[in-house]
Amino acid sequence: MKTRISILLILVSLFAGGSLMAQSKSDKLFDTFRNKPGVIYFAFNKSMNDAFNIDLDDQGKNVEGDIQEIRFMTYNPEKGQLGVKEFCRKSSDLLPSAYKLVESNESDNAQIWMLGNNKKATEFHVLVGGDEESDLCFWISFYGDFKVKDLDGIKEIGLDMTAHK
């Protein structure tokens, strides 16, 4: 009986350890703010890709790769406890140092973080803030296997998804 319990505990430990390693380092960003006042969060994974047209070639954007998951989080400062600038700063500070800020553009209030190197990436995170303290703030995160060719394409997708141009 002790042998069965020991084997069961080992299997549970291995399974739990494996599932923890499969998590993204950016999960803290979403876990911190999910279900907080003023925050709307949703995600869809690869099985949902057929329900959406994410064919970037038709739009002339040069982004290649396999999207596994997209996460979307928006913050409304009128319903939350933080101003939009404070939310943007606090949320972006939750990304670990392994994520590189690869673009920051004040004219459209967009920033892009990447996990990867100059040729391949596994994650892109687009933060779109507002000019006014009452403006919404958006996080759009792409998870998958990407060839880094055109960061403007990633930013444009993020801006298109927030209808922020």
Side-chain angles (χ1 to χ4, degrees), residues 28-90:
K28 185 175 182 181
L29 164 67
F30 295 99
D31 292 344
T32 299
F33 292 105
R34 190 179 320 189
N35 299 321
K36 298 286 189 213
V39 174
I40 297 172
Y41 166 84
F42 66 90
F44 61 92
N45 61 20
K46 188 172 181 140
S47 62
M48 288 288 292
N49 281 350
D50 293 336
F52 298 92
N53 181 10
I54 310 178
D55 184 7
L56 305 176
D57 292 334
D58 289 345
Q59 301 170 14
K61 297 183 176 60
N62 191 9
V63 178
E64 293 181 7
D66 187 23
I67 295 176
Q68 300 295 320
E69 181 178 9
I70 297 176
R71 294 181 186 179
F72 184 86
M73 182 169 61
T74 184
Y75 178 71
N76 183 345
E78 293 178 1
K79 296 181 179 181
Q81 300 170 345
L82 304 172
V84 71
K85 302 283 186 202
E86 187 178 8
F87 175 82
C88 289
R89 183 185 51 77
K90 284 187 174 195

Side-chain angles (χ1 to χ4, degrees), residues 3 15 28 30 35 55-56 65 81 86 94 102 105 108 116 123 135 145 152-153 161:
T3 305
F15 177 73
K28 185 175 182 181
F30 295 99
N35 299 321
D55 184 7
L56 305 176
Q81 300 170 345
E86 187 178 8
L94 291 171
V102 292
N105 189 331
D108 53 19
E123 297 179 23
D135 289 345
D145 184 25
D152 287 336
M161 290 180 82

Side-chain angles (χ1 to χ4, degrees), residues 84-85 87-93 95 100-114 124-130 137-142 151 154-156 158-159 164:
V84 71
K85 302 283 186 202
F87 175 82
C88 289
R89 183 185 51 77
K90 284 187 174 195
S91 61
S92 63
D93 286 348
L95 286 174
K100 295 183 278 191
L101 180 62
V102 292
E103 184 174 325
S104 182
N105 189 331
E106 288 186 27
S107 66
D108 53 19
N109 293 314
Q111 298 175 329
I112 302 173
W113 282 265
M114 176 181 78
F124 285 101
H125 302 274
V126 181
L127 171 62
V128 180
C137 178
F138 300 92
W139 277 101
I140 302 95
S141 298
F142 303 91
L151 291 177
I154 294 288
K155 181 174 76 172
E156 284 299 314
L159 290 172
H164 186 283

